[in-house]
């Protein structure tokens, strides 16, 4: 049977305040709707401990490894830039108070004259208390190689989505990460020169050197990052 009217006595015995922000529950109480949806974003760029805040029920982690360093050149041969760190994206439902250690992949140095770059450092998120979860790892980028040999991508695994870091190339900029582009490659010409540049976006690769004594040296890959999207 359709409801056509509400007994006035029911409304007179309710508790709470009736206004534009509340609704009437079945037990006769005026109450505000439960909050939900996106709450906030946390960006972590240095190693630290982290605790899930109160009222947070879901999280989406973006974990990116540090970028690889570019390789240096010498008068005989050129070199390649470093590749970017890989990114793992993982949705979790961790209870309030769950704790974890976050280790950010640090800067990986570029090579000197005729030397390969340094391998990028992994970024990890490891549970230390509360709701258990498998460690999340964003692999560090591959180092640039001496001799114009291209680098391979850093391939992650274990996420809901796994995004490989962009590969470094011979006489090319450092590999791009999920967050953006890598450092510029060095060059030298009669019109001018440019030194290799470090990775720009988090986890991107460093630029490689050029076969001229003024710009032999390569540049470093960029540090990794963990981004956490928090939901109520």
């Amino acid at each position: 049977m359709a409801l056509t009217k509400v007994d006035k006595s029911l409304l007179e015995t309710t508790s709470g305040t009736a206004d534009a922000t509340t609704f009437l529950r079945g037990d006769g109480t005026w109450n505000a709707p439960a909050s939900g949806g996106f709450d906030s974003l946390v960006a972590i760029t240095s190693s630290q401990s982290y605790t899930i805040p109160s009222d947070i029920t879901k999280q989406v982690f973006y974990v990116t490894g540090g970028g690889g360093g570019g390789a240096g050149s010498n008068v005989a041969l050129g070199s390649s830039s470093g590749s970017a760190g890989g990114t793992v994206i993982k949705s979790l439902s961790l209870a309030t108070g769950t704790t974890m250690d976050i280790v950010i992949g640090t800067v990986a140095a570029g090579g000197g004259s005729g030397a390969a770059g340094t391998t990028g450092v992994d970024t990890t998120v490891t549970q230390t208390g509360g709701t258990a979860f498998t460690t999340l790892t964003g692999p560090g980028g591959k180092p640039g190689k001496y001799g114009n040999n291209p680098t391979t991508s850093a391939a992650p695994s274990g996420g809901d989505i796994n995004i490989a870091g962009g590969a470094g190339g011979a006489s090319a900029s450092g590999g791009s990460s999920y967050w953006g582009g890598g450092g510029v490659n060095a060059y030298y010409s009669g019109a001018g020169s440019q030194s290799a540049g470090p990775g720009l976006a988090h986890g991107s690769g460093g630029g490689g050197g050029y076969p001229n004594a003024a710009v032999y040296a390569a540049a470093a890959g960029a540090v990794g990052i963990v981004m956490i999207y928090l939901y109520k």
Side-chain angles (χ1 to χ4, degrees):
M1 182 176 68
L3 179 65
T4 58
K5 63 180 181 178
V6 176
D7 189 327
K8 184 172 181 292
S9 65
L10 292 177
L11 297 179
E12 289 173 344
T13 59
T14 59
S15 62
T17 302
D19 60 29
T21 66
T22 58
F23 69 98
L24 183 61
R25 301 191 333 184
D27 63 358
T29 301
W30 290 99
N31 203 20
S35 59
F38 176 74
D39 179 77
S40 57
L41 172 64
V42 178
I44 298 175
T45 57
S46 61
S47 298
Q48 59 190 268
S49 297
Y50 180 76
T51 302
I52 299 298
S54 61
D55 298 326
I56 297 299
T57 61
K58 293 185 181 297
Q59 311 83 28
V60 180
F61 288 79
Y62 289 66
V63 183
T64 302
S73 301
N74 62 22
V75 68
L77 291 170
S79 63
S80 61
S81 55
S83 72
T87 297
V88 164
I89 303 175
K90 184 71 175 178
S91 176
L92 296 170
S93 297
L94 305 178
T96 293
T98 296
T99 56
M100 62 204 72
D101 282 339
I102 296 177
V103 177
I104 300 296
T106 53
V107 168
S113 174
T118 305
T119 301
V121 181
D122 293 350
T123 294
T124 58
V125 180
T126 304
Q127 182 257 358
T128 55
T131 307
F133 64 92
T134 301
T135 295
L136 306 176
T137 302
K142 306 296 185 181
K145 299 178 181 179
Y146 170 65
N148 290 320
N149 297 304
T151 59
T152 57
S153 298
S157 62
D160 298 321
I161 301 174
N162 302 299
I163 303 173
S171 301
S173 295
S176 295
S177 72
Y178 175 83
W179 308 102
V184 297
N185 217 55
Y187 75 85
Y188 186 92
S189 70
S193 64
Q194 173 178 275
S195 297
L200 299 176
H202 286 286
S204 62
Y210 185 85
N212 182 283
V215 287
Y216 282 159
V223 298
I225 188 171
V226 171
M227 297 280 277
I228 312 173
Y229 291 77
L230 301 175
Y231 296 85
K232 289 188 174 181

